[in-house]
Amino acid sequence: GGANTLLHFGAVDWQAVVYVNGQLVANHTGGFDGFSADITSALKLRGSRDGQQQAQHELLVYAFDPTESGPQPHGKQRMGVLSNPGELWTIVYTSTTGIWQTVWLETVPNEYIKDVQVRQS
């Protein structure tokens, strides 16, 4: 049997669209939970050097967070100017988005345990 390659993201804030070698491999919404994609079919061997094939891959991640204009929790992040910048309650943070947890690759056999659910009887 062969092996599959999984691409894991610990978290991306807030919406993430992920491409590998131009192929859409993941579309995830949620800034605090991780997600994974099986990228095996998107991987390609390209080029050669000294008769040796070398793997060259492109990973593209689009991250989008609409801050206070979207439905997701945004805490103290704000896009616009504050109405009362001198007041104590106006403590806010600059709007941010992007990959903010670990990203890693994992090689697994063709048949592997993807998820475990425990139920109380």
Side-chain angles (χ1 to χ4, degrees), residues 23-102:
Q23 181 178 331
L24 177 65
V25 296
N27 191 340
H28 179 78
T29 301
F32 299 101
D33 51 339
F35 62 97
S36 299
D38 186 336
I39 63 170
T40 307
S41 64
L43 297 177
K44 302 174 188 172
L45 286 178
R46 300 183 200 166
S48 66
R49 177 186 292 170
D50 302 327
Q52 300 281 334
Q53 282 191 326
Q54 295 193 1
Q56 296 179 357
H57 304 286
E58 178 183 62
L59 172 63
L60 183 59
V61 180
Y62 289 104
F64 173 69
D65 183 348
T67 310
E68 76 263 23
S69 63
Q72 83 292 353
H74 56 80
K76 297 178 182 179
Q77 292 187 65
R78 297 287 183 272
M79 293 291 293
V81 178
L82 301 173
S83 58
N84 296 315
E87 299 291 328
L88 291 177
W89 58 266
T90 60
I91 297 172
V92 297
Y93 301 105
T94 303
S95 177
T96 60
T97 189
I99 300 167
W100 67 281
Q101 292 287 333
T102 305

